[in-house]
Amino acid sequence: MKMLVPVALSALLVLGSAPAPAAPDQKRDQQEAFDQLRKGRILPLRDIESRVLPRMTGSQYLGVELDSATSIYTLKFVRKGTVIWVYVDARSGKVIGQDGN
């Protein structure tokens, strides 16, 4: 039960304040991500954010996606008009790449 609250809060953060109805593929992806998190196969979004956000000073955090097939979180930022994507291994929390600067 303790794990459900952070997952729900993370989902709200990702979906925004007034989400549109999810397409069937999105619902399937969300369920897969939840199942992986519940089984301990991936780290919670809060853990990932606590590792990445401090590194992104001067940037605005726009959101995150999880590719459940590859277990990669993609965090999106903008800094001085440039979009930056940070790729993080959802299993280990290790930053594995970045596009933009």
Side-chain angles (χ1 to χ4, degrees):
M1 185 65 179
K2 287 182 180 179
M3 190 60 108
L4 185 57
V5 173
V7 170
L9 292 174
S10 295
L12 287 175
L13 176 64
V14 170
L15 296 175
S17 60
D25 288 342
Q26 285 179 311
K27 286 184 179 184
R28 193 171 325 119
D29 288 346
Q30 291 170 355
Q31 185 60 48
E32 177 64 26
F34 178 77
D35 290 343
Q36 287 187 34
L37 181 62
R38 186 176 47 80
K39 292 175 183 176
R41 294 183 183 153
I42 63 172
L43 295 171
L45 177 58
R46 184 178 359 189
D47 290 357
I48 300 299
E49 290 173 334
S50 70
R51 295 171 189 214
V52 175
L53 293 172
R55 298 172 43 160
M56 300 303 294
T57 56
S59 299
Q60 179 184 359
Y61 181 42
L62 300 176
V64 64
E65 289 184 17
L66 172 66
D67 183 339
S68 59
T70 61
S71 296
I72 295 175
Y73 281 108
T74 303
L75 287 77
K76 186 177 179 181
F77 299 86
V78 66
R79 179 189 305 137
K80 297 180 183 176
T82 301
V83 177
I84 303 165
W85 291 272
V86 179
Y87 306 101
V88 182
D89 184 315
R91 296 170 296 237
S92 68
K94 180 180 177 187
V95 174
I96 56 176
Q98 179 175 322
D99 289 329
N101 280 338

